[in-house]
Amino acid sequence: MQKRTNLFIVGGQKCGTSALAHFLSQHPSICMALGKEAHVFDQPMFCQLTQSHIEALYTERYPHYSGERYVCDATPIYAYWQDIPEHIAAYNPDAKLVMVVRNPVERAISQYAMSKNRGQESLNVFLAFLLEPLRMRVNQNRNWKQPARTQSYLSRGTFKAQIENLFRYFSADNILIIHHQDLLYQHDAVLNRVFEFLNISSWDIAAESIFSGQYSLSRSTISYRLAKRYATYKLKEDIDYIEQFRLEKTT
């Protein structure tokens, strides 16, 4: 019988969650959801789901479960929509949460490049950032194609509010914050922190260059320069805030 999901990589998008999930899936004590992202708590009709519905959705995502200590759902939008941590806590108050953060300006630009590449964005990067608040108000439901999923460039980088919200529903012992740069350049040290956080044995997992979605974006255009300046102004508090989670400052 499958145990209740008890490990969540809750964000942030374009911060290295795919890489982290890939590495953790190689540990014998962790069963990762098929496709990494189970997308249970951000279901468009989640408010209508019963506990048995949630369990059924998760069962579909772990057909390979074979008694691992941790069952992991790595869906980055979970920290962004701030009612979701409360739902996760109601589902499993003892769950462990991992949040990966990144310079929010770089994160926003990376998400824009991804959306542009996928045909989800028609505006230049500056207009996309500038008009984001208007877009976010157009559609407040959670259908799979709504703007908050694909065009939430700056709002997804409000890490201070997202992390503070996690601590409203989970104890500090159940939350681990990882910086994208550390995951990229201090592979072994970061994984050892995760293993210690989960109280599982260290495991030799090779570093790989598997950060997905390396989408290109011209940095020489006026729109890019304006967008970067605008995003830096709007997200200054979050830029400063995430520095406290750099590995060299916390070990």
mmCIF file of all heavy atoms in Angstrom, residues 42-44 80-81 83 132-149:
data_model
loop_
_atom_site.group_PDB
_atom_site.id
_atom_site.type_symbol
_atom_site.label_atom_id
_atom_site.label_comp_id
_atom_site.label_asym_id
_atom_site.label_seq_id
_atom_site.Cartn_x
_atom_site.Cartn_y
_atom_site.Cartn_z
ATOM 1 N N ASP A 42 -2.941 22.008 -7.485
ATOM 2 C CA ASP A 42 -3.290 23.125 -8.366
ATOM 3 C C ASP A 42 -4.311 22.712 -9.417
ATOM 4 O O ASP A 42 -4.487 23.399 -10.425
ATOM 5 C CB ASP A 42 -2.040 23.704 -9.035
ATOM 6 C CG ASP A 42 -1.354 22.712 -9.969
ATOM 7 O OD1 ASP A 42 -1.277 21.521 -9.612
ATOM 8 O OD2 ASP A 42 -0.870 23.119 -11.038
ATOM 9 N N GLN A 43 -4.984 21.593 -9.193
ATOM 10 C CA GLN A 43 -6.065 21.177 -10.083
ATOM 11 C C GLN A 43 -7.089 22.312 -10.222
ATOM 12 O O GLN A 43 -7.455 22.947 -9.225
ATOM 13 C CB GLN A 43 -6.769 19.955 -9.513
ATOM 14 C CG GLN A 43 -5.964 18.670 -9.569
ATOM 15 C CD GLN A 43 -6.059 17.992 -10.917
ATOM 16 O OE1 GLN A 43 -7.105 18.035 -11.568
ATOM 17 N NE2 GLN A 43 -4.968 17.382 -11.330
ATOM 18 N N PRO A 44 -7.561 22.592 -11.441
ATOM 19 C CA PRO A 44 -8.554 23.664 -11.616
ATOM 20 C C PRO A 44 -9.772 23.516 -10.711
ATOM 21 O O PRO A 44 -10.328 24.503 -10.250
ATOM 22 C CB PRO A 44 -8.945 23.542 -13.093
ATOM 23 C CG PRO A 44 -7.727 22.974 -13.743
ATOM 24 C CD PRO A 44 -7.148 22.017 -12.742
ATOM 25 N N TYR A 80 3.790 29.315 -5.198
ATOM 26 C CA TYR A 80 3.340 30.570 -5.808
ATOM 27 C C TYR A 80 1.890 30.881 -5.436
ATOM 28 O O TYR A 80 1.561 31.997 -5.035
ATOM 29 C CB TYR A 80 3.522 30.477 -7.326
ATOM 30 C CG TYR A 80 2.891 31.603 -8.104
ATOM 31 C CD1 TYR A 80 3.151 32.941 -7.796
ATOM 32 C CD2 TYR A 80 2.032 31.328 -9.171
ATOM 33 C CE1 TYR A 80 2.577 33.961 -8.526
ATOM 34 C CE2 TYR A 80 1.459 32.346 -9.907
ATOM 35 C CZ TYR A 80 1.731 33.658 -9.580
ATOM 36 O OH TYR A 80 1.155 34.677 -10.303
ATOM 37 N N TRP A 81 0.988 29.908 -5.572
ATOM 38 C CA TRP A 81 -0.402 30.122 -5.165
ATOM 39 C C TRP A 81 -0.491 29.885 -3.659
ATOM 40 O O TRP A 81 -0.356 28.753 -3.177
ATOM 41 C CB TRP A 81 -1.323 29.199 -5.947
ATOM 42 C CG TRP A 81 -1.720 29.806 -7.268
ATOM 43 C CD1 TRP A 81 -1.822 31.131 -7.548
ATOM 44 C CD2 TRP A 81 -2.062 29.102 -8.469
ATOM 45 N NE1 TRP A 81 -2.209 31.309 -8.859
ATOM 46 C CE2 TRP A 81 -2.366 30.091 -9.446
ATOM 47 C CE3 TRP A 81 -2.144 27.767 -8.801
ATOM 48 C CZ2 TRP A 81 -2.751 29.763 -10.743
ATOM 49 C CZ3 TRP A 81 -2.521 27.436 -10.102
ATOM 50 C CH2 TRP A 81 -2.825 28.425 -11.052
ATOM 51 N N ASP A 83 -2.598 29.726 -1.248
ATOM 52 C CA ASP A 83 -3.514 28.885 -0.488
ATOM 53 C C ASP A 83 -3.086 27.418 -0.503
ATOM 54 O O ASP A 83 -3.537 26.624 0.325
ATOM 55 C CB ASP A 83 -4.933 29.005 -1.037
ATOM 56 C CG ASP A 83 -5.033 28.524 -2.481
ATOM 57 O OD1 ASP A 83 -4.217 28.997 -3.301
ATOM 58 O OD2 ASP A 83 -5.889 27.682 -2.794
ATOM 59 N N GLU A 132 1.919 42.653 -16.876
ATOM 60 C CA GLU A 132 1.603 41.446 -16.110
ATOM 61 C C GLU A 132 0.459 41.635 -15.114
ATOM 62 O O GLU A 132 -0.442 40.776 -15.049
ATOM 63 C CB GLU A 132 2.850 40.942 -15.378
ATOM 64 C CG GLU A 132 2.601 39.704 -14.551
ATOM 65 C CD GLU A 132 3.841 39.223 -13.817
ATOM 66 O OE1 GLU A 132 4.962 39.403 -14.344
ATOM 67 O OE2 GLU A 132 3.691 38.664 -12.714
ATOM 68 N N PRO A 133 0.417 42.705 -14.314
ATOM 69 C CA PRO A 133 -0.692 42.843 -13.355
ATOM 70 C C PRO A 133 -2.062 42.828 -14.020
ATOM 71 O O PRO A 133 -3.022 42.268 -13.483
ATOM 72 C CB PRO A 133 -0.407 44.188 -12.677
ATOM 73 C CG PRO A 133 1.067 44.376 -12.827
ATOM 74 C CD PRO A 133 1.401 43.797 -14.176
ATOM 75 N N LEU A 134 -2.177 43.449 -15.195
ATOM 76 C CA LEU A 134 -3.451 43.451 -15.912
ATOM 77 C C LEU A 134 -3.812 42.042 -16.376
ATOM 78 O O LEU A 134 -4.963 41.613 -16.279
ATOM 79 C CB LEU A 134 -3.378 44.391 -17.112
ATOM 80 C CG LEU A 134 -3.224 45.882 -16.790
ATOM 81 C CD1 LEU A 134 -3.095 46.689 -18.082
ATOM 82 C CD2 LEU A 134 -4.417 46.379 -15.975
ATOM 83 N N ARG A 135 -2.836 41.331 -16.874
ATOM 84 C CA ARG A 135 -3.080 39.973 -17.332
ATOM 85 C C ARG A 135 -3.524 39.069 -16.179
ATOM 86 O O ARG A 135 -4.391 38.219 -16.339
ATOM 87 C CB ARG A 135 -1.809 39.398 -17.955
ATOM 88 C CG ARG A 135 -1.488 39.946 -19.329
ATOM 89 C CD ARG A 135 -0.124 39.484 -19.779
ATOM 90 N NE ARG A 135 -0.035 39.379 -21.219
ATOM 91 C CZ ARG A 135 1.057 38.988 -21.867
ATOM 92 N NH1 ARG A 135 2.142 38.658 -21.185
ATOM 93 N NH2 ARG A 135 1.066 38.915 -23.173
ATOM 94 N N MET A 136 -2.920 39.253 -15.027
ATOM 95 C CA MET A 136 -3.251 38.405 -13.894
ATOM 96 C C MET A 136 -4.692 38.606 -13.429
ATOM 97 O O MET A 136 -5.293 37.713 -12.832
ATOM 98 C CB MET A 136 -2.304 38.665 -12.722
ATOM 99 C CG MET A 136 -0.851 38.313 -12.962
ATOM 100 S SD MET A 136 -0.569 36.574 -13.414
ATOM 101 C CE MET A 136 -0.353 36.733 -15.198
ATOM 102 N N ARG A 137 -5.269 39.782 -13.723
ATOM 103 C CA ARG A 137 -6.646 40.056 -13.283
ATOM 104 C C ARG A 137 -7.688 39.566 -14.280
ATOM 105 O O ARG A 137 -8.865 39.522 -13.956
ATOM 106 C CB ARG A 137 -6.833 41.560 -13.059
ATOM 107 C CG ARG A 137 -6.128 42.088 -11.826
ATOM 108 C CD ARG A 137 -6.758 43.387 -11.369
ATOM 109 N NE ARG A 137 -6.529 44.464 -12.321
ATOM 110 C CZ ARG A 137 -5.513 45.321 -12.259
ATOM 111 N NH1 ARG A 137 -4.610 45.205 -11.299
ATOM 112 N NH2 ARG A 137 -5.388 46.284 -13.139
ATOM 113 N N VAL A 138 -7.247 39.207 -15.477
ATOM 114 C CA VAL A 138 -8.199 38.827 -16.524
ATOM 115 C C VAL A 138 -8.917 37.538 -16.168
ATOM 116 O O VAL A 138 -10.113 37.385 -16.376
ATOM 117 C CB VAL A 138 -7.472 38.684 -17.876
ATOM 118 C CG1 VAL A 138 -8.366 37.992 -18.899
ATOM 119 C CG2 VAL A 138 -7.054 40.058 -18.388
ATOM 120 N N ASN A 139 -8.193 36.587 -15.617
ATOM 121 C CA ASN A 139 -8.758 35.257 -15.377
ATOM 122 C C ASN A 139 -8.282 34.758 -14.021
ATOM 123 O O ASN A 139 -7.122 34.409 -13.856
ATOM 124 C CB ASN A 139 -8.314 34.309 -16.493
ATOM 125 C CG ASN A 139 -9.026 32.974 -16.417
ATOM 126 O OD1 ASN A 139 -9.616 32.632 -15.397
ATOM 127 N ND2 ASN A 139 -8.971 32.208 -17.494
ATOM 128 N N GLN A 140 -9.165 34.733 -13.067
ATOM 129 C CA GLN A 140 -8.787 34.359 -11.705
ATOM 130 C C GLN A 140 -8.988 32.875 -11.398
ATOM 131 O O GLN A 140 -8.627 32.417 -10.325
ATOM 132 C CB GLN A 140 -9.600 35.198 -10.705
ATOM 133 C CG GLN A 140 -9.295 36.679 -10.768
ATOM 134 C CD GLN A 140 -7.869 37.008 -10.350
ATOM 135 O OE1 GLN A 140 -7.316 36.379 -9.475
ATOM 136 N NE2 GLN A 140 -7.276 37.998 -10.998
ATOM 137 N N ASN A 141 -9.548 32.114 -12.340
ATOM 138 C CA ASN A 141 -9.690 30.691 -12.055
ATOM 139 C C ASN A 141 -8.363 29.981 -12.325
ATOM 140 O O ASN A 141 -7.386 30.602 -12.730
ATOM 141 C CB ASN A 141 -10.836 30.070 -12.874
ATOM 142 C CG ASN A 141 -10.543 30.072 -14.358
ATOM 143 O OD1 ASN A 141 -9.438 29.763 -14.784
ATOM 144 N ND2 ASN A 141 -11.546 30.400 -15.167
ATOM 145 N N ARG A 142 -8.329 28.675 -12.122
ATOM 146 C CA ARG A 142 -7.060 27.968 -12.218
ATOM 147 C C ARG A 142 -7.037 26.963 -13.366
ATOM 148 O O ARG A 142 -6.433 25.908 -13.263
ATOM 149 C CB ARG A 142 -6.733 27.295 -10.889
ATOM 150 C CG ARG A 142 -6.514 28.336 -9.803
ATOM 151 C CD ARG A 142 -5.897 27.792 -8.565
ATOM 152 N NE ARG A 142 -5.580 28.890 -7.667
ATOM 153 C CZ ARG A 142 -5.113 28.739 -6.434
ATOM 154 N NH1 ARG A 142 -4.920 27.534 -5.949
ATOM 155 N NH2 ARG A 142 -4.842 29.780 -5.691
ATOM 156 N N ASN A 143 -7.708 27.309 -14.461
ATOM 157 C CA ASN A 143 -7.650 26.395 -15.590
ATOM 158 C C ASN A 143 -6.212 26.312 -16.105
ATOM 159 O O ASN A 143 -5.371 27.156 -15.814
ATOM 160 C CB ASN A 143 -8.631 26.809 -16.697
ATOM 161 C CG ASN A 143 -8.262 28.133 -17.345
ATOM 162 O OD1 ASN A 143 -7.174 28.294 -17.884
ATOM 163 N ND2 ASN A 143 -9.177 29.093 -17.309
ATOM 164 N N TRP A 144 -5.956 25.270 -16.877
ATOM 165 C CA TRP A 144 -4.577 24.953 -17.258
ATOM 166 C C TRP A 144 -3.946 25.997 -18.172
ATOM 167 O O TRP A 144 -2.714 26.031 -18.314
ATOM 168 C CB TRP A 144 -4.519 23.583 -17.923
ATOM 169 C CG TRP A 144 -4.957 22.468 -17.021
ATOM 170 C CD1 TRP A 144 -6.047 21.679 -17.172
ATOM 171 C CD2 TRP A 144 -4.309 22.032 -15.812
ATOM 172 N NE1 TRP A 144 -6.129 20.770 -16.137
ATOM 173 C CE2 TRP A 144 -5.078 20.956 -15.287
ATOM 174 C CE3 TRP A 144 -3.171 22.438 -15.121
ATOM 175 C CZ2 TRP A 144 -4.741 20.287 -14.112
ATOM 176 C CZ3 TRP A 144 -2.821 21.773 -13.944
ATOM 177 C CH2 TRP A 144 -3.596 20.714 -13.455
ATOM 178 N N LYS A 145 -4.742 26.861 -18.784
ATOM 179 C CA LYS A 145 -4.192 27.845 -19.728
ATOM 180 C C LYS A 145 -4.287 29.272 -19.225
ATOM 181 O O LYS A 145 -4.066 30.211 -19.989
ATOM 182 C CB LYS A 145 -4.909 27.722 -21.080
ATOM 183 C CG LYS A 145 -4.647 26.401 -21.778
ATOM 184 C CD LYS A 145 -5.310 26.367 -23.151
ATOM 185 C CE LYS A 145 -5.011 25.050 -23.857
ATOM 186 N NZ LYS A 145 -5.630 24.983 -25.214
ATOM 187 N N GLN A 146 -4.590 29.463 -17.966
ATOM 188 C CA GLN A 146 -4.776 30.831 -17.486
ATOM 189 C C GLN A 146 -3.424 31.541 -17.347
ATOM 190 O O GLN A 146 -2.390 30.906 -17.159
ATOM 191 C CB GLN A 146 -5.574 30.829 -16.187
ATOM 192 C CG GLN A 146 -4.801 30.557 -14.930
ATOM 193 C CD GLN A 146 -4.934 31.738 -13.988
ATOM 194 O OE1 GLN A 146 -4.665 32.858 -14.382
ATOM 195 N NE2 GLN A 146 -5.350 31.478 -12.764
ATOM 196 N N PRO A 147 -3.399 32.889 -17.471
ATOM 197 C CA PRO A 147 -2.144 33.648 -17.502
ATOM 198 C C PRO A 147 -1.233 33.435 -16.303
ATOM 199 O O PRO A 147 -0.007 33.514 -16.438
ATOM 200 C CB PRO A 147 -2.623 35.102 -17.585
ATOM 201 C CG PRO A 147 -3.959 35.029 -18.241
ATOM 202 C CD PRO A 147 -4.572 33.755 -17.734
ATOM 203 N N ALA A 148 -1.780 33.176 -15.128
ATOM 204 C CA ALA A 148 -0.938 33.012 -13.949
ATOM 205 C C ALA A 148 -0.027 31.793 -14.059
ATOM 206 O O ALA A 148 0.982 31.713 -13.361
ATOM 207 C CB ALA A 148 -1.794 32.902 -12.690
ATOM 208 N N ARG A 149 -0.350 30.873 -14.946
ATOM 209 C CA ARG A 149 0.515 29.710 -15.150
ATOM 210 C C ARG A 149 1.647 30.009 -16.126
ATOM 211 O O ARG A 149 2.739 29.453 -15.995
ATOM 212 C CB ARG A 149 -0.293 28.516 -15.664
ATOM 213 C CG ARG A 149 -1.285 27.951 -14.661
ATOM 214 C CD ARG A 149 -1.922 26.677 -15.199
ATOM 215 N NE ARG A 149 -2.953 26.166 -14.306
ATOM 216 C CZ ARG A 149 -2.745 25.315 -13.303
ATOM 217 N NH1 ARG A 149 -1.523 24.875 -13.069
ATOM 218 N NH2 ARG A 149 -3.749 24.888 -12.552
#
